[in-house]
Amino acid sequence: MTIEDVFTGHRYRLDSYQRDYTWGRDDVRRLIDDLRNKFIANWRFEHDREEVARYQPYFLGPYVYHEAAPVTYLVDGQQRITTLHLMLIYLRELLRAQDLEDQAARLSSLILSHKFGKSVYTLDIPERDQFLEVAFQETEFTLPDNSSGALRRLWEAALVLQEEFPEELRSDALPYFVDWLLDGVSMVGIRAATPEQGWEIYESMNDRGVRLGPIDLLKSFLLSKIGPETAGADNIWRQMVSGLAGIDANAPSDFIKTFLIGRYADVNMDSNDSSPDVKRINGPFHTWVKDNVGQIGLVRPQDYRSLIDDLSAYAQRYRTLAAAAHTYDGELKSVFFNAYNGITSQAAPILAAVDPRDDSSTFKTKAKLIADYLDLVFARRIVNDLPSSSIHLDREAVRLVERLRDGVSIDRLRAILAEEVAALDYDFTSMKTYGLRSNNSRQVRYLLARLTGFVETACERGDEMDRYLDAQRPFEIEHIWANHFERYQPETGTRAIFDSYRNRLGALLLLKKSDNASYQDLPYEEKVGFYQRQNHLAGSLHVSHRERNSAFNRFVKTHRLDRLLRPFPKFDRKAIGARQDLYQRLCELIWNPTVFGSRLAASPQSADRSRTRTRARYDVAITDLITKGVLPPNATLIGRRRGELFQAEILDDGRIQVTSGETFRSLSAAGEFVLQTKSCPGWNFWHAQLNDREARLADIRREALERGIV
């Protein structure tokens, strides 16, 4: 059954014995990544919609149900179906943002049905109804304090979609992706005749019999090669798997994949894809081991036994990393931060760098350095509007593996990472206009949390980073400018300029949720007194904050921040600019490259960023069109929506600069910003001004491809 079949003409409920929604962020990310990878491997910008029918299909597995008209009861598979239902609602909002109302209506018929004058969601679970009504229509949905765990997890899943859904699927490819999702993705439905038979099927699929997975098959293969003396190895394997399973059900397999990638895989890849080894290991990894015994060094029986011993030893290290990823640890803070930001492969370069003889202190030092580097890359990428999803950062983590193998020393590790930072062609100098946008609230919240936490701990207050990043959101983003354009019209002129300045990072704070709600839309002069009772970043806005505040004054003096970390009796555009400079300087202090032991790492190298910017399907970038003379340098772009005109300019490095000064790496991101929307088909939205005419960039690109110019 296609996904459209699964959601057509059904009204699903859960049987009494069925658990409710249990998926976490990683599960939702994994589904999004799987769908994205399969779709992007097929899609090309120049394709007609009809070609989607020939894209490779994707199988999402079985689900079990029984029917009792008019209701279909889900017995097994409701985690995937619930997540898909939520994804359909999100995709409908994206289609509406692109004015694709007919296609949005197609999704509406799958999301809910109308019978007897009443609208009923396809997943008819009353507890979810109120949430689903507003899930993607409000900036923040506040869960009631008494919400169930299942509803909270559904809310988390919605946040993953809002905050991490890939840009390439939100932009020009969106209608193609929706077509493919509905017609090219399928499940197998297993219909039980009665509720009792449904329970039997559910029980047999989940509890009975031995279903051998890659980890079981790998164990059998390794033990068979050791010979008759397998008892010791078998016990070591069992203890290893048991310890890892205490983390979560997927941890044993995740560890072995990470170990194989970190220690043995050929990780060489092109700029846009994983290496063949990494792809195979992320699938049935036992077959990769069988096919690569020489690469692993498996020749004699004792080699196979040594591999099991190594796995057991490295599993202990992996468990330490997994614990630090889930629970904030002052020694391994960046491991926690990277996990928060979806960098799931950070353990691969760490295990690559570790020597089995390393003591605990050496291991943690190596882990911290590598995690710090990945955190630095993430922070720099987000303020430069570069791809920073889990896919892109995981690729960066795996890329490091080759350089870090064979147990590098700490000094050598520092030198390697210093070289890596020095090779980056982006730093924090371009964050002059960075701020809150339609799809980066999680990233902005992360930056504000790090800035706030850095100043608080440096001023001898407690380390509350875990609270700042708590999924239940006891802290929220506060706009210093209330959403009242009329108050600031004399200095901003237009609503667009007002929105631009109001949402800049320098005009934002991180405050306790309860306090933030109490300020509502008070003018700055009336709430700056309340700010003084908050964290130092907020309190510093008040003229008396430095009085009898020795720890804060020492911090300001130590880092020479007198000009930047100062009060503002009036918070105008100049104040926002000063705070933007302050936040940039704090970022440079927090993510200081000299931690890797080399001054060389302090300044970025000049490099061609055009191939990482403004591209469609990684093949033709705006700069390609300029280089080939198809577009003039510094071309003016024009976009129109509902009678309103928007303008932008193409910069020398391919970035798009809009009228209010913000720059973007992609046409779609620039379009989303000016339209204040969640989705924009950038190549189709923007037109280039060419002498006496305008031409849609999609048409210019298509003609250049047809003529063989690019």
Side-chain angles (χ1 to χ4, degrees):
M1 301 173 70
T2 66
I3 296 304
E4 187 161 29
D5 294 332
V6 172
F7 285 92
T8 297
H10 292 284
R11 180 179 167 190
Y12 293 110
R13 286 184 178 172
L14 302 181
D15 249 327
S16 57
Y17 55 81
Q18 172 66 285
R19 60 182 179 174
D20 210 323
Y21 192 64
T22 61
W23 270 19
R25 273 189 171 268
D26 289 344
D27 300 300
V28 179
R29 282 173 178 148
R30 191 176 295 114
L31 176 61
I32 294 171
D33 289 350
D34 287 349
L35 293 172
R36 178 255 178 212
N37 292 339
K38 178 64 76 171
F39 171 78
I40 286 295
N42 291 270
W43 180 69
R44 298 293 183 274
F45 185 92
E46 59 270 19
H47 282 177
D48 293 325
R49 293 274 293 277
E50 291 81 4
E51 294 190 56
V52 175
R54 292 186 286 276
Y55 287 5
Q56 287 185 324
Y58 185 72
F59 177 56
L60 263 180
Y63 70 102
V64 183
Y65 65 96
H66 68 85
E67 295 174 331
V71 174
T72 300
Y73 286 92
L74 283 171
V75 177
D76 198 26
Q78 75 105 356
Q79 306 298 323
R80 283 162 292 152
I81 290 177
T82 291
T83 309
L84 287 168
H85 187 238
L86 198 61
M87 186 182 294
L88 292 177
I89 298 173
Y90 176 67
L91 291 171
R92 180 180 62 178
E93 296 307 308
L94 297 186
L95 290 168
R96 286 173 171 170
Q98 293 193 16
D99 289 339
L100 300 174
E101 293 294 343
D102 289 346
Q103 295 173 68
R106 180 187 180 193
L107 294 189
S108 291
S109 67
L110 307 180
I111 293 165
L112 72 171
S113 59
H114 305 276
K115 292 185 178 181
F116 307 111
K118 182 180 179 182
S119 296
V120 179
Y121 279 103
T122 303
L123 264 71
D124 184 15
I125 302 171
E127 181 193 25
R128 303 178 182 178
D129 289 355
Q130 183 182 4
F131 168 73
L132 294 179
E133 286 291 334
V134 297
F136 300 113
Q137 297 175 24
E138 296 181 359
T139 303
E140 292 284 350
F141 174 76
T142 303
L143 284 173
D145 292 336
N146 61 348
S147 297
S148 68
L151 189 58
R152 290 186 180 277
R153 285 185 287 272
L154 196 70
W155 170 70
E156 277 281 315
L159 290 177
V160 175
L161 289 165
Q162 283 194 121
E163 298 166 350
E164 304 183 42
F165 199 74
E167 182 189 306
E168 59 263 57
L169 301 185
R170 293 198 318 267
S171 52
D172 296 271
L174 175 64
Y176 297 77
F177 176 73
V178 172
D179 286 344
W180 176 77
L181 177 68
L182 298 184
D183 297 317
V185 180
S186 63
M187 303 180 74
V188 166
I190 303 173
R191 181 172 61 85
T194 64
E196 292 75 20
Q197 189 183 58
W199 167 252
E200 291 174 3
I201 296 172
Y202 174 82
E203 188 179 36
S204 66
M205 290 179 66
N206 290 279
D207 296 322
R208 295 181 186 173
V210 178
R211 295 180 293 164
L212 297 179
I215 196 165
D216 305 295
L217 296 169
L218 177 61
K219 171 190 172 183
S220 299
F221 170 69
L222 296 179
L223 293 181
S224 70
K225 296 295 184 179
I226 294 175
E229 302 298 327
T230 61
D234 185 40
N235 289 335
I236 290 172
W237 184 278
R238 290 177 184 275
Q239 291 172 8
M240 175 190 75
V241 171
S242 176
L244 291 165
I247 301 170
D248 64 57
N250 295 320
S253 291
D254 289 344
F255 160 66
I256 291 180
K257 293 175 185 178
T258 302
F259 174 85
L260 294 174
I261 291 170
R263 304 299 299 179
Y264 299 112
D266 178 357
V267 297
N268 292 319
M269 62 188 87
D270 64 35
S271 60
N272 299 316
D273 208 351
S274 300
S275 75
D277 274 6
V278 171
K279 284 182 178 179
R280 287 193 63 194
I281 290 171
N282 280 321
F285 53 79
H286 64 290
T287 63
W288 182 88
V289 172
K290 289 180 180 180
D291 294 341
N292 291 274
V293 291
Q295 187 171 327
I296 300 172
L298 301 176
V299 179
R300 301 161 300 175
Q302 52 263 46
D303 297 330
Y304 289 85
R305 172 56 193 263
S306 295
L307 178 60
I308 290 179
D309 291 336
D310 285 349
L311 282 164
S312 178
Y314 280 92
Q316 298 299 319
R317 302 304 193 193
Y318 185 84
R319 288 171 64 184
T320 299
L321 296 175
H326 287 89
T327 304
Y328 186 67
D329 179 346
E331 288 188 282
L332 295 172
K333 290 188 262 192
S334 288
V335 174
F336 180 84
F337 298 147
N338 292 337
Y340 175 85
N341 291 318
I343 309 177
T344 58
S345 295
Q346 64 174 322
I350 295 173
L351 294 189
V354 171
D355 187 293
R357 296 164 293 183
D358 287 344
D359 59 25
S360 178
S361 176
T362 301
F363 162 71
K364 287 186 176 181
T365 299
K366 290 181 178 181
K368 181 181 183 302
L369 285 168
I370 294 168
D372 284 349
Y373 168 78
L374 293 173
D375 184 42
L376 178 149
V377 170
F378 175 80
R380 287 193 183 184
R381 289 179 78 89
I382 60 177
V383 302
N384 281 275
D385 196 42
L386 288 166
S388 53
S389 68
S390 57
I391 292 173
H392 297 97
L393 272 298
D394 281 343
R395 189 175 296 142
E396 175 68 14
V398 172
R399 187 189 62 78
L400 288 175
V401 163
E402 195 77 49
R403 299 198 69 190
L404 303 184
R405 277 195 181 133
D406 302 323
V408 293
S409 68
I410 291 175
D411 288 342
R412 178 58 184 151
L413 176 60
R414 288 184 189 277
I416 290 172
L417 295 177
E419 292 169 4
E420 291 289 339
V421 177
L424 297 175
D425 63 313
Y426 46 89
D427 59 11
F428 290 107
T429 58
S430 63
M431 67 179 290
K432 299 296 184 184
T433 58
Y434 179 78
L436 186 65
R437 295 163 189 167
S438 62
N439 52 18
N440 71 344
S441 61
R442 183 177 178 85
Q443 297 170 348
V444 168
R445 189 168 183 266
Y446 176 69
L447 281 181
L448 289 172
R450 294 298 305 275
L451 297 174
T452 303
F454 174 70
V455 178
E456 292 295 279
T457 54
C459 294
E460 302 173 11
R461 291 184 177 177
D463 186 347
E464 293 192 288
M465 280 302 306
D466 53 338
R467 294 188 64 219
Y468 296 153
L469 298 176
D470 188 345
Q472 304 306 321
R473 307 235 169 182
F475 287 82
E476 288 184 337
I477 296 172
E478 154 78 350
H479 285 82
I480 297 176
W481 279 10
N483 192 17
H484 284 277
F485 169 50
E486 68 279 1
R487 295 179 187 172
Y488 302 94
Q489 187 173 9
E491 64 175 313
T492 59
T494 67
R495 178 78 200 199
I497 298 296
F498 166 75
D499 287 335
S500 170
Y501 275 87
R502 178 176 182 265
N503 286 308
R504 288 190 182 173
L505 193 67
L508 304 175
L509 300 167
L510 192 70
L511 300 181
K512 291 180 180 178
K513 182 177 179 179
S514 55
D515 294 331
N516 186 35
S518 68
Y519 302 154
Q520 297 182 0
D521 58 353
L522 288 175
Y524 171 75
E525 292 77 11
E526 294 183 29
K527 62 183 178 181
V528 69
F530 297 121
Y531 287 164
Q532 192 182 13
R533 300 197 293 267
Q534 299 287 340
N535 57 71
H536 282 300
L537 270 186
S540 63
L541 292 166
H542 195 275
V543 292
S544 63
H545 188 69
R546 297 187 67 167
E547 297 176 7
R548 296 183 297 277
N549 205 334
S550 58
F552 178 75
N553 290 327
R554 280 196 303 273
F555 173 78
V556 172
K557 183 179 180 180
T558 298
H559 296 291
R560 302 177 182 177
L561 296 173
D562 290 86
R563 185 181 63 84
L564 298 175
L565 193 52
R566 60 187 174 89
F568 293 95
K570 179 182 178 182
F571 203 77
D572 54 12
R573 284 175 58 168
K574 288 185 179 179
I576 293 174
R579 292 286 286 192
Q580 200 85 6
D581 291 341
L582 167 66
Y583 285 1
Q584 176 185 327
R585 180 58 187 144
L586 292 177
C587 284
E588 291 166 348
L589 292 171
I590 295 168
W591 290 282
N592 185 350
T594 58
V595 70
F596 304 112
S598 172
R599 292 185 179 181
L600 178 66
S603 57
Q605 302 297 305
S606 297
D608 177 15
R609 288 192 285 176
S610 63
R611 295 302 298 176
T612 61
R613 294 185 182 275
T614 59
R615 65 182 66 236
R617 187 53 191 96
Y618 308 112
D619 47 8
V620 176
I622 281 287
T623 45
D624 295 326
L625 301 179
I626 296 174
T627 301
K628 298 296 184 179
V630 178
L631 279 177
N634 304 113
T636 296
L637 301 181
I638 296 171
R640 293 181 176 83
R641 177 69 64 86
R642 298 168 188 162
E644 191 171 359
L645 177 70
F646 305 93
Q647 285 190 314
E649 180 185 357
I650 304 175
L651 302 181
D652 292 339
D653 62 0
R655 288 177 298 157
I656 313 301
Q657 185 173 57
V658 299
T659 305
S660 54
E662 285 80 359
T663 59
F664 301 88
R665 69 175 178 85
S666 75
L667 295 162
S668 296
E672 288 174 6
F673 179 80
V674 299
L675 295 172
Q676 293 290 291
T677 189
K678 303 171 185 175
S679 176
C680 174
W683 284 86
N684 284 287
F685 172 71
W686 291 108
H687 294 65
Q689 184 70 52
L690 302 175
N691 298 322
D692 58 346
R693 68 185 181 92
E694 295 177 15
R696 190 190 307 270
L697 288 176
D699 296 332
I700 295 173
R701 182 185 184 280
R702 182 175 291 107
E703 182 179 351
L705 284 168
E706 290 173 351
R707 293 170 58 192
I709 298 175
V710 294

